[in-house]
Amino acid sequence: MRIKLITSRDNALFKELRQLAGSAQACRHAGRTLLDGVHLCEAYVRQVGMPRLCVVGETASKHHEVHAIQMLCETGGAACIQLPDILFNAISQVEQGIQLMFVIDVPGAKSENSATQMLPLQQPAVLLDNVQDPGNLGSILRSAAAAGVRAMFCSAGCASAWAPKVMRAGMGAHFSLTIAEDVDLASLMTNSMIPTVATSSHADNTVYALDLRSPVAWLFGHEGQGVKPELLQLATHQILIPQVDAVESLNVAASAAVCLFEQVRQKTL
């Protein structure tokens, strides 16, 4: 199978790629997203399989890693195209990166079905209430996957979990997680069979005082307002992360990492 060359900005496929690269809403509407860079593409092939489309930049077509992945995609039946550097760079948001990109289908229906099958909550999970920054969301996904959590539930106010910016921040974590979006967190918490633990700057107990050796569902909130009061009231435990007074509070992604790996620490004692 010969790789298809696209050289015009007016090409319909290039226009579609540019839309996917620039708009999380376009990704959600199309049910597709972009993986940008060798690391993400390698992780996808290793953990999931072949992409819908493999996109290679002209310069990178001679790179040994890119060439190997391209050949693997062609052998596996995936469509492949090559773009001139100027066109590839117009859709890539990775500076100084290697010019490789996948178009993949967003497993939206799969996530919804899998989420339904996991209810009520019985296994470790992370619940996100209105986390809007793509970098924070992707970082939390990455920490959750590294800490052994496999289920992520995002409320309607969260950033799109499969947007390209979130994919880059997640660094492949998406492929080992079941991610459900637009979830009614209140209903999820009410019917949970495991404790739910919410972070709050007004809590009396610290994360280090809580016994975390058994499964819990972690609840983290909006970057500015934190977890909604009505969700805090539903939580089994409210905890804070102690810190000095130099800053007002930790970034939500940092808070999630502290909590998740405190649980990992306790489990390995």
Side-chain angles (χ1 to χ4, degrees):
M1 182 186 300
R2 291 181 59 85
I3 189 168
K4 181 180 179 180
L5 301 178
I6 292 178
T7 59
S8 172
R9 292 180 180 272
D10 295 325
N11 178 275
L13 181 53
F14 176 75
K15 288 182 177 179
E16 180 184 349
L17 292 173
R18 189 164 55 186
Q19 282 187 324
L20 293 176
S23 169
Q25 185 176 359
C27 290
R28 187 186 291 268
H29 179 74
R32 300 172 189 167
T33 191
L34 299 179
L35 307 183
D36 200 342
V38 170
H39 174 84
L40 272 179
C41 293
E42 283 182 335
Y44 187 83
V45 170
R46 183 173 62 252
Q47 299 182 52
V48 182
M50 292 297 106
R52 171 179 286 270
L53 177 68
C54 174
V55 184
V56 178
E58 182 179 4
T59 298
S61 64
K62 304 175 181 63
H63 190 281
H64 68 282
E65 287 182 288
V66 173
H67 181 73
I69 294 173
Q70 177 190 324
M71 292 298 101
L72 189 62
C73 288
E74 291 185 359
T75 302
C80 297
I81 64 170
Q82 180 176 310
L83 300 176
D85 291 350
I86 190 170
L87 292 189
F88 190 98
N89 293 337
I91 59 174
S92 175
Q93 297 180 5
V94 177
E95 294 184 9
Q96 307 298 323
I98 299 174
Q99 299 167 324
L100 178 67
M101 190 178 293
F102 280 179
V103 178
I104 65 167
D105 293 322
V106 172
K110 176 183 175 183
S111 294
E112 292 171 8
N113 293 336
S114 298
T116 300
Q117 292 170 7
M118 287 189 298
L119 301 180
L121 281 179
Q122 302 180 58
Q123 300 298 322
V126 169
L127 284 53
L128 299 182
D129 173 31
N130 209 27
V131 175
Q132 297 181 344
D133 182 81
N136 284 336
L137 181 52
S139 295
I140 294 171
L141 289 168
R142 189 176 181 183
S143 293
V149 175
R150 293 293 175 259
M152 181 77 61
F153 298 88
C154 304
S155 74
C158 287
S160 176
W162 294 90
K165 289 182 179 180
V166 181
M167 299 294 299
R168 289 198 302 277
M171 293 295 286
H174 289 71
F175 312 139
S176 61
L177 292 164
T178 298
I179 303 170
E181 300 188 273
D182 300 329
V183 175
D184 181 346
L185 297 184
S187 177
L188 189 67
M189 295 171 68
T190 299
N191 295 291
S192 178
M193 297 181 67
I194 59 176
T196 53
V197 182
T199 55
S200 170
S201 59
H202 304 295
D204 295 324
N205 297 319
T206 75
V207 63
Y208 306 114
L210 190 63
D211 186 345
L212 297 170
R213 291 171 293 178
S214 299
V216 303
W218 292 99
L219 174 63
F220 304 105
H222 180 271
E223 287 84 353
Q225 288 86 38
V227 177
K228 291 187 183 72
E230 55 267 33
L231 293 180
L232 276 178
Q233 292 180 1
L234 293 174
T236 311
H237 305 284
Q238 296 183 30
I239 55 93
L240 60 79
I241 299 172
Q243 61 184 70
V244 297
D245 296 330
V247 295
E248 182 179 347
S249 64
L250 287 177
N251 169 278
V252 64
S255 296
V258 169
C259 294
L260 289 164
F261 284 95
E262 169 59 16
Q263 185 168 34
V264 170
R265 185 194 71 80
Q266 289 191 23
K267 287 181 177 179
T268 56
L269 288 177

